[in-house]
Amino acid sequence: MCRSADVKQAVLAKNDDLARVLREDLTRQGVTVVNLLSSPGSGKTELLGRVLARAVARGVPAAALTADLATENDARRLARSGAPVRQVLTDGLCHLEARQLRGHVEGWLPEGTAVLFVENVGNLVCPASYDLGETLRIVLMAVTEGEDKPLKYPTAFGSAHLVVTTKTDLAGPAGFDEDAFRANVRRVNPGVEIVRTCARTGDGVDTVLERALAARHGVPPHRPPLAPRPHDHGHSHDDDAHGHGDPDGHAHDDAHGHRHDGVHGHTRDEAHGHPDAHPHEGPREHPHPAPAPAPAPAS
């Protein structure tokens, strides 16, 4: 057990070092990374599509990298916005890591990009512990998921710079208790801003984009730790999520990460090399050229 915890700590420490360097490099290039975390089915792809379309309409140079286990469906949907989009297929890996993001943006990210939105794998456990070099971490939750979600996933919600509720048009039929939800968010992340959105009506879309742009200048001032550690089992408090761990505390690795950029060349990702790594293919990249802007369909 101790060996396993030590390995996880080493993996996360290495990721933090890479994330710090990546953040510094991208900041020098004028790029702000926004990391989007949520459960599957929260509606974050639809909302992100709307945000990208608004950015294109306003002349904001934004791009998106979307991660999924198997399909390229999300990239095709996001590309309708007119923004540059790249799909990353993780082949079963439940989260993105800083080394993967670095490999995906090198040679692809358009020059002059101001904001890079990263749609992480649908999962509120593993992704919460991996800093991607982001400046802004947004945790999203559909009102249909229940107001106690922040208490079930305190690591994710506790590390958020911004919390976004989606599908708010369904709050009434779902019996969503917004007051209870906000109280639960405050328990794990006091002071974090909560934004209500609805991709169908467009509510909150401009606000999300504005927060992403503001992050380029050090706003919001609310800056919780980016990656609370699932293996830190110190003292805990009711109003402090940082002493809680992820239920699983998984640390995964790509032992043989091949990248496919639409050509026959392969780039081998660096493996962590820890003893409990399971060899499998790493993320595959598929760039999607931006078509002429078209409205995204309502969900």
Side-chain angles (χ1 to χ4, degrees):
M1 293 296 292
C2 292
R3 178 178 174 79
S4 177
D6 289 343
V7 168
K8 292 173 184 175
Q9 186 171 3
V11 169
L12 291 170
K14 181 177 181 180
N15 181 83
D16 286 350
D17 290 340
L18 291 173
R20 175 182 52 78
V21 173
L22 179 61
R23 185 181 296 108
E24 292 171 354
D25 289 345
L26 289 175
T27 298
R28 281 193 292 270
Q29 298 173 39
V31 181
T32 295
V33 176
V34 179
N35 187 7
L36 305 178
L37 280 70
S38 79
S39 300
S42 68
K44 71 176 176 297
T45 303
E46 188 66 25
L47 178 64
L48 177 55
R50 299 283 180 147
V51 171
L52 290 171
R54 195 63 54 88
V56 170
R58 291 174 51 177
V60 175
L65 186 149
T66 179
D68 209 347
L69 299 180
T71 74
E72 297 182 42
N73 295 345
D74 289 349
R76 283 192 285 266
R77 292 170 61 190
L78 293 177
R80 297 171 188 157
S81 67
V85 176
R86 167 168 281 193
Q87 179 77 58
V88 177
L89 298 181
T90 66
D91 291 331
L93 191 65
C94 65
H95 62 275
L96 287 176
E97 300 177 12
R99 66 186 177 85
Q100 297 166 341
L101 183 63
R102 180 184 60 186
H104 302 330
V105 299
E106 288 178 351
W108 168 75
L109 193 64
E111 186 176 355
T113 298
V115 181
L116 172 63
F117 292 93
V118 179
E119 184 181 16
N120 218 313
V121 179
N123 182 351
L124 282 176
V125 182
C126 299
S129 294
Y130 285 85
D131 183 357
L132 298 184
E134 68 259 36
T135 299
L136 182 68
R137 175 176 289 196
I138 302 179
V139 175
L140 304 94
M141 191 201 85
V143 297
T144 53
E145 296 179 62
E147 52 275 347
D148 62 341
K149 204 70 175 265
L151 303 182
K152 292 182 176 181
Y153 299 93
T155 300
F157 283 88
S159 65
H161 300 134
L162 181 69
V163 172
V164 171
T165 53
T166 62
K167 304 182 182 181
T168 53
D169 55 329
L170 301 177
F176 180 65
D177 187 337
E178 185 166 359
D179 289 338
F181 170 74
R182 288 178 174 270
N184 290 336
V185 171
R186 286 195 297 271
R187 284 186 63 185
V188 300
N189 196 342
V192 70
E193 181 182 8
I194 302 172
V195 174
R196 303 174 76 255
T197 69
C198 177
R200 179 173 288 138
T201 64
D203 291 347
V205 170
D206 277 314
T207 303
V208 172
L209 179 58
E210 288 297 338
R211 297 299 182 271
L213 294 175
R216 304 185 71 213
H217 306 290
V219 180
H222 180 74
R223 312 298 292 180
L226 275 173
R229 290 291 172 253
H231 54 273
D232 287 343
H233 298 291
H235 62 280
S236 61
H237 305 278
D238 287 341
D239 292 335
D240 184 358
H242 306 307
H244 297 278
D246 288 337
D248 301 56
H250 295 311
H252 302 276
D253 185 33
D254 300 354
H256 301 287
H258 299 288
R259 297 191 334 170
H260 302 264
D261 293 326
V263 295
H264 297 295
H266 302 275
T267 300
R268 188 163 183 160
D269 284 341
E270 177 186 6
H272 291 311
H274 55 77
D276 56 348
H278 299 285
H280 56 75
E281 284 191 350
R284 297 195 303 270
E285 303 175 357
H286 299 274
H288 287 254
S299 59

